[in-house]
Amino acid sequence: MSDTGAVILVQRAVKGDRTAFDKLCGIKSRKMLFIAYNILGDYHEAEDVVQEAILAMFMNIKKLRSAEAFDGWMS
């Protein structure tokens, strides 16, 4: 997906579009899992951390001020 496509998904998710949020998580979760696994060294713990991070993103995405900052915000 292009950066523009991701930005559009973020903008829609911020406005409450759950389908856009789900698509965004589908795109970003693999990268998040890779990072978490490299830090933790345990796949199951990494999955738990990513699940918690996605829940926190869902609960707080309306606080995101700039869609372009999503990647840094989700880290």
Side-chain angles (χ1 to χ4, degrees):
M1 170 171 281
S2 69
D3 287 342
T4 304
V7 167
I8 291 169
L9 284 176
V10 172
Q11 290 170 338
R12 289 175 42 202
V14 168
K15 292 179 182 175
D17 184 333
R18 293 183 91 174
T19 301
F21 183 82
D22 289 344
K23 287 180 183 178
L24 197 56
C25 287
I27 294 165
K28 301 295 183 177
S29 62
R30 180 179 284 187
K31 179 181 178 182
M32 294 169 68
L33 185 57
F34 176 78
I35 292 168
Y37 176 76
N38 281 313
I39 291 169
L40 299 170
D42 181 282
Y43 184 76
H44 297 292
E45 282 187 46
E47 284 182 315
D48 289 344
V49 167
V50 170
Q51 186 176 16
E52 289 177 25
I54 289 172
L55 178 59
M57 287 174 9
F58 180 76
M59 300 297 289
N60 294 294
I61 196 161
K62 291 187 180 203
K63 297 177 184 176
L64 183 63
R65 294 182 187 186
S66 169
E68 291 80 10
F70 179 78
D71 281 345
W73 178 80
M74 74 169 202
S75 299

